[in-house]
Amino acid sequence: MSGTLVLVRHGQSEWNLKNLFTGWRDVDLTEQGHKEAKDAGAKLKARGLKFDIAFTSALIRAQKTCQHILDAVGQSELKTIRDQALNERDYGDLSGLNKDDARKKWGEEQVHIWRRSYDVSPPDGESLKDTGARVWPYYLHDLQPHVLRGETVLVAAHGNSLRALIMALDGKSGEEIVKLELGTGVPVIYKLNADSTVASKEVLEG
């Protein structure tokens, strides 16, 4: 029996638009972000997908994205579990700063290392490796059992929490995963075998 796992990064947030480090700061979607989330739902509806359960983070931009998708597929009341284990990477002292201002303060090279290295964390923040250390156990204990029972599971979360999942699912290295770009509101559909290996993967872009 194979299950389906659908991963969607939240639509554009207000701080995405302003080029600010967001992390655990709880900011809303922009008008475009709402549209991206609704469009993601429309794409999934066009595929005839229906979900058995949904998971999202403790942050409003992911929660609203999740709800837009469920509304679009006609499942507004579906059981949805919210957990901070799926939160975006915590950017620590960078949170709320404009990325250009951060480069002026710490230097282009240092900010690039914080953003694009796998295991180097910004001051008082998390590296992608740290993010994976909370996301992956949550997946194994809370999400994967549903998929292995043949259910269809929606996860609406964040760029880095989803990178951590994709790294494990796709067997990517730390160097490979930091180069992966996840578009806002772009669904990624995994079909998983009964032994939890990936049978197929499809990205619904455009």
Side-chain angles (χ1 to χ4, degrees):
M1 181 184 296
S2 64
T4 302
L5 178 66
V6 178
L7 309 179
V8 185
R9 181 186 174 193
H10 63 79
Q12 183 193 63
S13 75
E14 293 171 348
W15 282 17
N16 290 147
L17 181 62
K18 295 177 180 178
N19 199 36
L20 305 179
F21 285 100
T22 312
W24 283 43
R25 299 289 182 88
D26 205 9
V27 301
D28 208 340
L29 297 174
T30 61
E31 183 176 343
Q32 179 180 326
H34 285 288
K35 182 180 184 302
E36 289 173 345
K38 291 173 183 177
D39 287 348
K43 291 173 186 175
L44 294 168
K45 180 181 180 181
R47 291 299 177 95
L49 280 172
K50 289 288 185 181
F51 299 101
D52 294 289
I53 192 168
F55 293 85
T56 190
S57 76
L59 301 171
I60 195 70
R61 59 193 186 273
Q63 293 172 8
K64 288 190 175 180
T65 296
C66 186
Q67 192 60 54
H68 280 315
I69 292 170
L70 294 179
D71 290 347
V73 299
Q75 294 185 282
S76 299
E77 303 302 318
L78 185 71
K79 180 179 180 181
T80 300
I81 297 173
R82 300 173 177 178
D83 199 291
Q84 70 177 24
L86 293 173
N87 276 18
E88 175 60 297
R89 172 185 171 190
D90 184 355
Y91 280 105
D93 291 352
L94 299 181
S95 299
L97 291 180
N98 182 281
K99 292 171 185 175
D100 292 330
D101 291 341
R103 293 184 186 100
K104 291 175 185 175
K105 182 173 182 178
W106 284 288
E108 178 86 33
E109 183 178 352
Q110 182 61 67
V111 172
H112 180 75
I113 290 171
W114 286 332
R115 292 190 68 197
R116 291 304 181 192
S117 67
Y118 174 63
D119 56 4
V120 179
S121 57
D124 291 324
E126 293 179 309
S127 65
L128 183 54
K129 183 178 180 180
D130 296 329
T131 306
R134 59 176 163 83
V135 171
W136 188 241
Y138 183 73
Y139 170 77
L140 290 175
H141 295 126
D142 293 79
L143 280 76
Q144 190 184 66
H146 292 278
V147 182
L148 297 185
R149 287 197 292 268
E151 296 179 11
T152 299
V153 177
L154 171 64
V155 181
H158 306 265
N160 285 299
S161 53
L162 293 179
R163 278 191 183 95
L165 273 182
I166 290 170
M167 178 180 178
L169 289 167
D170 290 2
K172 291 184 178 295
S173 68
E175 285 187 359
E176 289 172 325
I177 199 62
V178 294
K179 297 174 184 175
L180 176 69
E181 294 296 335
L182 289 174
T184 49
V186 177
V188 181
I189 304 173
Y190 283 93
K191 292 283 189 181
L192 297 185
N193 297 313
D195 62 358
S196 79
T197 57
V198 175
S200 67
K201 175 185 177 181
E202 182 181 10
V203 182
L204 300 186
E205 293 182 295

Short mmCIF file of all heavy atoms in Angstrom, two decimals, residues 92-137:
data_model
loop_
_atom_site.label_atom_id
_atom_site.label_comp_id
_atom_site.label_asym_id
_atom_site.label_seq_id
_atom_site.Cartn_x
_atom_site.Cartn_y
_atom_site.Cartn_z
N GLY A 92 17.55 33.56 14.81
CA GLY A 92 18.20 34.19 15.95
C GLY A 92 18.33 35.69 15.81
O GLY A 92 17.35 36.40 15.55
N ASP A 93 19.57 36.18 15.96
CA ASP A 93 19.81 37.63 15.94
C ASP A 93 19.56 38.26 14.57
O ASP A 93 19.49 39.49 14.47
CB ASP A 93 21.24 37.93 16.37
CG ASP A 93 21.49 37.64 17.85
OD1 ASP A 93 20.50 37.35 18.56
OD2 ASP A 93 22.65 37.68 18.28
N LEU A 94 19.45 37.44 13.53
CA LEU A 94 19.16 37.98 12.20
C LEU A 94 17.67 38.29 12.01
O LEU A 94 17.31 39.04 11.11
CB LEU A 94 19.60 36.99 11.11
CG LEU A 94 21.08 36.62 11.02
CD1 LEU A 94 21.31 35.66 9.86
CD2 LEU A 94 21.94 37.86 10.86
N SER A 95 16.83 37.70 12.84
CA SER A 95 15.38 37.83 12.67
C SER A 95 14.95 39.29 12.68
O SER A 95 15.33 40.06 13.57
CB SER A 95 14.63 37.08 13.77
OG SER A 95 14.95 35.71 13.73
N GLY A 96 14.18 39.66 11.67
CA GLY A 96 13.68 41.02 11.56
C GLY A 96 14.60 41.97 10.83
O GLY A 96 14.21 43.10 10.53
N LEU A 97 15.82 41.52 10.53
CA LEU A 97 16.77 42.39 9.83
C LEU A 97 16.61 42.28 8.32
O LEU A 97 16.34 41.20 7.79
CB LEU A 97 18.22 42.01 10.19
CG LEU A 97 18.70 42.28 11.61
CD1 LEU A 97 20.15 41.83 11.74
CD2 LEU A 97 18.58 43.76 11.95
N ASN A 98 16.80 43.40 7.64
CA ASN A 98 16.88 43.37 6.19
C ASN A 98 18.16 42.63 5.80
O ASN A 98 19.21 42.82 6.42
CB ASN A 98 16.90 44.80 5.64
CG ASN A 98 16.94 44.84 4.13
OD1 ASN A 98 17.99 44.66 3.53
ND2 ASN A 98 15.80 45.11 3.53
N LYS A 99 18.07 41.79 4.80
CA LYS A 99 19.23 40.97 4.42
C LYS A 99 20.41 41.83 3.96
O LYS A 99 21.56 41.51 4.21
CB LYS A 99 18.82 39.95 3.36
CG LYS A 99 17.87 38.90 3.93
CD LYS A 99 17.25 37.99 2.89
CE LYS A 99 16.24 37.06 3.55
NZ LYS A 99 15.51 36.21 2.58
N ASP A 100 20.12 42.94 3.31
CA ASP A 100 21.19 43.85 2.89
C ASP A 100 21.85 44.51 4.10
O ASP A 100 23.08 44.68 4.15
CB ASP A 100 20.66 44.91 1.93
CG ASP A 100 20.23 44.32 0.59
OD1 ASP A 100 20.82 43.29 0.19
OD2 ASP A 100 19.31 44.87 -0.04
N ASP A 101 21.03 44.88 5.11
CA ASP A 101 21.57 45.49 6.32
C ASP A 101 22.43 44.49 7.09
O ASP A 101 23.46 44.85 7.68
CB ASP A 101 20.45 46.00 7.22
CG ASP A 101 19.73 47.21 6.62
OD1 ASP A 101 20.31 47.85 5.72
OD2 ASP A 101 18.60 47.49 7.04
N ALA A 102 22.00 43.23 7.08
CA ALA A 102 22.79 42.19 7.76
C ALA A 102 24.15 42.03 7.10
O ALA A 102 25.18 41.85 7.77
CB ALA A 102 22.03 40.87 7.73
N ARG A 103 24.17 42.13 5.77
CA ARG A 103 25.46 42.03 5.06
C ARG A 103 26.39 43.20 5.43
O ARG A 103 27.60 43.03 5.53
CB ARG A 103 25.22 42.00 3.55
CG ARG A 103 24.51 40.73 3.08
CD ARG A 103 24.37 40.71 1.55
NE ARG A 103 23.57 39.58 1.12
CZ ARG A 103 22.27 39.66 0.78
NH1 ARG A 103 21.64 40.83 0.81
NH2 ARG A 103 21.61 38.59 0.40
N LYS A 104 25.80 44.38 5.61
CA LYS A 104 26.61 45.55 5.99
C LYS A 104 27.18 45.37 7.40
O LYS A 104 28.30 45.79 7.67
CB LYS A 104 25.76 46.82 5.93
CG LYS A 104 25.36 47.24 4.51
CD LYS A 104 24.42 48.43 4.55
CE LYS A 104 23.92 48.77 3.14
NZ LYS A 104 22.91 49.85 3.16
N LYS A 105 26.42 44.74 8.27
CA LYS A 105 26.83 44.58 9.67
C LYS A 105 27.87 43.49 9.84
O LYS A 105 28.86 43.66 10.55
CB LYS A 105 25.60 44.29 10.54
CG LYS A 105 25.92 44.16 12.02
CD LYS A 105 24.66 44.04 12.85
CE LYS A 105 24.99 43.95 14.34
NZ LYS A 105 23.77 43.88 15.18
N TRP A 106 27.62 42.32 9.20
CA TRP A 106 28.49 41.16 9.43
C TRP A 106 29.38 40.82 8.23
O TRP A 106 30.28 40.00 8.35
CB TRP A 106 27.66 39.93 9.79
CG TRP A 106 27.15 39.95 11.20
CD1 TRP A 106 27.88 39.77 12.34
CD2 TRP A 106 25.80 40.14 11.62
NE1 TRP A 106 27.06 39.84 13.45
CE2 TRP A 106 25.78 40.06 13.05
CE3 TRP A 106 24.60 40.37 10.95
CZ2 TRP A 106 24.62 40.21 13.78
CZ3 TRP A 106 23.44 40.51 11.69
CH2 TRP A 106 23.45 40.44 13.09
N GLY A 107 29.07 41.42 7.08
CA GLY A 107 29.86 41.12 5.89
C GLY A 107 29.15 40.13 4.98
O GLY A 107 28.43 39.24 5.44
N GLU A 108 29.35 40.32 3.69
CA GLU A 108 28.70 39.48 2.67
C GLU A 108 29.02 38.00 2.88
O GLU A 108 28.13 37.15 2.86
CB GLU A 108 29.19 39.92 1.29
CG GLU A 108 28.64 39.09 0.13
CD GLU A 108 27.30 39.58 -0.36
OE1 GLU A 108 27.05 40.79 -0.31
OE2 GLU A 108 26.49 38.73 -0.80
N GLU A 109 30.29 37.70 3.13
CA GLU A 109 30.70 36.30 3.23
C GLU A 109 30.08 35.62 4.45
O GLU A 109 29.60 34.48 4.36
CB GLU A 109 32.23 36.21 3.31
CG GLU A 109 32.74 34.77 3.33
CD GLU A 109 34.25 34.69 3.35
OE1 GLU A 109 34.91 35.73 3.18
OE2 GLU A 109 34.78 33.58 3.53
N GLN A 110 30.10 36.31 5.59
CA GLN A 110 29.55 35.70 6.81
C GLN A 110 28.05 35.44 6.67
O GLN A 110 27.56 34.37 7.06
CB GLN A 110 29.81 36.60 8.02
CG GLN A 110 29.31 36.00 9.34
CD GLN A 110 29.99 34.69 9.67
OE1 GLN A 110 31.19 34.66 9.95
NE2 GLN A 110 29.24 33.61 9.65
N VAL A 111 27.30 36.40 6.14
CA VAL A 111 25.86 36.21 5.98
C VAL A 111 25.58 35.09 4.99
O VAL A 111 24.66 34.29 5.17
CB VAL A 111 25.19 37.53 5.54
CG1 VAL A 111 23.71 37.30 5.19
CG2 VAL A 111 25.30 38.57 6.66
N HIS A 112 26.39 35.01 3.94
CA HIS A 112 26.23 33.92 2.97
C HIS A 112 26.44 32.56 3.65
O HIS A 112 25.69 31.61 3.40
CB HIS A 112 27.22 34.08 1.82
CG HIS A 112 27.11 33.00 0.79
ND1 HIS A 112 26.09 32.95 -0.13
CD2 HIS A 112 27.89 31.91 0.55
CE1 HIS A 112 26.24 31.88 -0.90
NE2 HIS A 112 27.33 31.23 -0.51
N ILE A 113 27.44 32.49 4.53
CA ILE A 113 27.69 31.24 5.26
C ILE A 113 26.49 30.88 6.13
O ILE A 113 26.04 29.74 6.16
CB ILE A 113 28.97 31.37 6.12
CG1 ILE A 113 30.20 31.42 5.21
CG2 ILE A 113 29.08 30.21 7.10
CD1 ILE A 113 31.48 31.77 5.94
N TRP A 114 25.96 31.85 6.85
CA TRP A 114 24.80 31.58 7.71
C TRP A 114 23.60 31.12 6.90
O TRP A 114 22.86 30.24 7.31
CB TRP A 114 24.43 32.83 8.50
CG TRP A 114 25.37 33.14 9.62
CD1 TRP A 114 26.13 32.24 10.33
CD2 TRP A 114 25.66 34.43 10.17
NE1 TRP A 114 26.86 32.89 11.28
CE2 TRP A 114 26.60 34.23 11.22
CE3 TRP A 114 25.22 35.71 9.90
CZ2 TRP A 114 27.09 35.29 11.99
CZ3 TRP A 114 25.71 36.76 10.65
CH2 TRP A 114 26.63 36.55 11.69
N ARG A 115 23.42 31.72 5.73
CA ARG A 115 22.25 31.40 4.92
C ARG A 115 22.41 30.08 4.17
O ARG A 115 21.43 29.35 3.98
CB ARG A 115 21.96 32.51 3.91
CG ARG A 115 21.50 33.82 4.51
CD ARG A 115 21.02 34.76 3.42
NE ARG A 115 19.80 34.29 2.78
CZ ARG A 115 19.35 34.71 1.62
NH1 ARG A 115 20.05 35.60 0.93
NH2 ARG A 115 18.23 34.25 1.12
N ARG A 116 23.61 29.79 3.71
CA ARG A 116 23.78 28.70 2.74
C ARG A 116 24.68 27.55 3.21
O ARG A 116 24.95 26.66 2.43
CB ARG A 116 24.33 29.26 1.43
CG ARG A 116 23.32 30.13 0.69
CD ARG A 116 22.03 29.37 0.44
NE ARG A 116 21.04 30.16 -0.27
CZ ARG A 116 19.76 29.82 -0.41
NH1 ARG A 116 19.33 28.70 0.12
NH2 ARG A 116 18.92 30.59 -1.07
N SER A 117 25.11 27.57 4.46
CA SER A 117 25.83 26.41 4.96
C SER A 117 24.82 25.49 5.65
O SER A 117 23.76 25.93 6.10
CB SER A 117 26.94 26.81 5.93
OG SER A 117 26.38 27.34 7.11
N TYR A 118 25.18 24.24 5.76
CA TYR A 118 24.27 23.25 6.35
C TYR A 118 24.33 23.26 7.88
O TYR A 118 23.30 23.14 8.54
CB TYR A 118 24.63 21.86 5.82
CG TYR A 118 23.85 20.74 6.46
CD1 TYR A 118 22.46 20.66 6.34
CD2 TYR A 118 24.51 19.75 7.20
CE1 TYR A 118 21.75 19.63 6.93
CE2 TYR A 118 23.81 18.72 7.78
CZ TYR A 118 22.43 18.66 7.65
OH TYR A 118 21.73 17.64 8.25
N ASP A 119 25.52 23.44 8.43
CA ASP A 119 25.67 23.23 9.87
C ASP A 119 26.25 24.42 10.64
O ASP A 119 26.69 24.28 11.78
CB ASP A 119 26.52 21.99 10.14
CG ASP A 119 27.88 22.04 9.47
OD1 ASP A 119 28.20 23.08 8.85
OD2 ASP A 119 28.62 21.05 9.55
N VAL A 120 26.24 25.61 10.03
CA VAL A 120 26.69 26.82 10.74
C VAL A 120 25.46 27.67 11.05
O VAL A 120 24.70 28.03 10.15
CB VAL A 120 27.69 27.64 9.90
CG1 VAL A 120 28.11 28.90 10.66
CG2 VAL A 120 28.91 26.79 9.56
N SER A 121 25.25 27.97 12.32
CA SER A 121 24.05 28.72 12.73
C SER A 121 24.39 30.19 12.98
O SER A 121 25.49 30.51 13.43
CB SER A 121 23.45 28.12 14.00
OG SER A 121 24.40 28.10 15.04
N PRO A 122 23.43 31.09 12.70
CA PRO A 122 23.63 32.50 13.05
C PRO A 122 23.58 32.66 14.57
O PRO A 122 23.14 31.75 15.28
CB PRO A 122 22.44 33.19 12.37
CG PRO A 122 21.40 32.14 12.26
CD PRO A 122 22.12 30.84 12.07
N PRO A 123 24.01 33.80 15.10
CA PRO A 123 24.01 33.99 16.55
C PRO A 123 22.63 33.76 17.17
O PRO A 123 21.63 34.32 16.71
CB PRO A 123 24.43 35.47 16.70
CG PRO A 123 25.18 35.78 15.45
CD PRO A 123 24.55 34.97 14.37
N ASP A 124 22.58 32.87 18.16
CA ASP A 124 21.35 32.53 18.88
C ASP A 124 20.27 31.93 17.97
O ASP A 124 19.08 31.98 18.31
CB ASP A 124 20.77 33.75 19.62
CG ASP A 124 21.63 34.17 20.80
OD1 ASP A 124 22.20 33.28 21.46
OD2 ASP A 124 21.75 35.38 21.05
N GLY A 125 20.67 31.38 16.83
CA GLY A 125 19.71 30.79 15.91
C GLY A 125 20.03 29.34 15.60
O GLY A 125 20.84 28.70 16.28
N GLU A 126 19.37 28.82 14.56
CA GLU A 126 19.52 27.43 14.16
C GLU A 126 20.21 27.32 12.80
O GLU A 126 19.99 28.15 11.92
CB GLU A 126 18.15 26.75 13.99
CG GLU A 126 17.34 26.57 15.24
CD GLU A 126 16.00 25.91 14.93
OE1 GLU A 126 15.28 26.39 14.02
OE2 GLU A 126 15.67 24.92 15.59
N SER A 127 21.00 26.29 12.64
CA SER A 127 21.48 25.91 11.31
C SER A 127 20.41 25.04 10.67
O SER A 127 19.44 24.61 11.33
CB SER A 127 22.78 25.12 11.42
OG SER A 127 22.54 23.88 12.09
N LEU A 128 20.56 24.74 9.38
CA LEU A 128 19.62 23.82 8.73
C LEU A 128 19.71 22.44 9.39
O LEU A 128 18.71 21.73 9.52
CB LEU A 128 19.90 23.73 7.24
CG LEU A 128 18.96 22.86 6.42
CD1 LEU A 128 17.50 23.25 6.62
CD2 LEU A 128 19.32 22.92 4.94
N LYS A 129 20.91 22.06 9.82
CA LYS A 129 21.08 20.79 10.52
C LYS A 129 20.26 20.76 11.81
O LYS A 129 19.62 19.76 12.13
CB LYS A 129 22.56 20.56 10.83
CG LYS A 129 22.86 19.22 11.49
CD LYS A 129 24.36 19.06 11.72
CE LYS A 129 24.67 17.71 12.37
NZ LYS A 129 26.13 17.54 12.59
N ASP A 130 20.28 21.88 12.55
CA ASP A 130 19.48 21.98 13.78
C ASP A 130 17.99 21.87 13.47
O ASP A 130 17.24 21.22 14.21
CB ASP A 130 19.73 23.33 14.48
CG ASP A 130 21.15 23.49 14.97
OD1 ASP A 130 21.79 22.49 15.31
OD2 ASP A 130 21.63 24.66 14.99
N THR A 131 17.57 22.52 12.40
CA THR A 131 16.16 22.46 12.00
C THR A 131 15.76 21.02 11.71
O THR A 131 14.70 20.54 12.14
CB THR A 131 15.90 23.35 10.78
OG1 THR A 131 16.38 24.67 11.05
CG2 THR A 131 14.43 23.42 10.43
N GLY A 132 16.61 20.32 10.97
CA GLY A 132 16.34 18.92 10.67
C GLY A 132 16.26 18.05 11.91
O GLY A 132 15.49 17.08 11.95
N ALA A 133 17.01 18.41 12.94
CA ALA A 133 17.02 17.62 14.17
C ALA A 133 15.68 17.65 14.90
O ALA A 133 15.40 16.77 15.72
CB ALA A 133 18.13 18.12 15.10
N ARG A 134 14.85 18.66 14.62
CA ARG A 134 13.49 18.66 15.20
C ARG A 134 12.43 18.22 14.19
O ARG A 134 11.42 17.63 14.56
CB ARG A 134 13.14 20.02 15.79
CG ARG A 134 13.18 21.18 14.82
CD ARG A 134 12.73 22.47 15.50
NE ARG A 134 13.11 23.66 14.74
CZ ARG A 134 12.43 24.17 13.73
NH1 ARG A 134 11.32 23.57 13.32
NH2 ARG A 134 12.84 25.27 13.13
N VAL A 135 12.67 18.51 12.89
CA VAL A 135 11.67 18.18 11.87
C VAL A 135 11.62 16.68 11.59
O VAL A 135 10.52 16.10 11.52
CB VAL A 135 11.96 18.94 10.56
CG1 VAL A 135 11.06 18.45 9.43
CG2 VAL A 135 11.78 20.44 10.76
N TRP A 136 12.76 16.07 11.43
CA TRP A 136 12.77 14.67 11.00
C TRP A 136 12.17 13.72 12.04
O TRP A 136 11.34 12.88 11.69
CB TRP A 136 14.18 14.25 10.60
CG TRP A 136 14.23 12.89 9.97
CD1 TRP A 136 14.89 11.81 10.41
CD2 TRP A 136 13.54 12.46 8.78
NE1 TRP A 136 14.67 10.73 9.58
CE2 TRP A 136 13.85 11.11 8.58
CE3 TRP A 136 12.70 13.11 7.88
CZ2 TRP A 136 13.34 10.37 7.50
CZ3 TRP A 136 12.19 12.37 6.80
CH2 TRP A 136 12.52 11.03 6.62
N PRO A 137 12.51 13.84 13.33
CA PRO A 137 11.84 12.98 14.32
C PRO A 137 10.32 13.19 14.34
O PRO A 137 9.55 12.24 14.53
CB PRO A 137 12.48 13.38 15.65
CG PRO A 137 13.80 13.94 15.27
CD PRO A 137 13.57 14.64 13.96
#
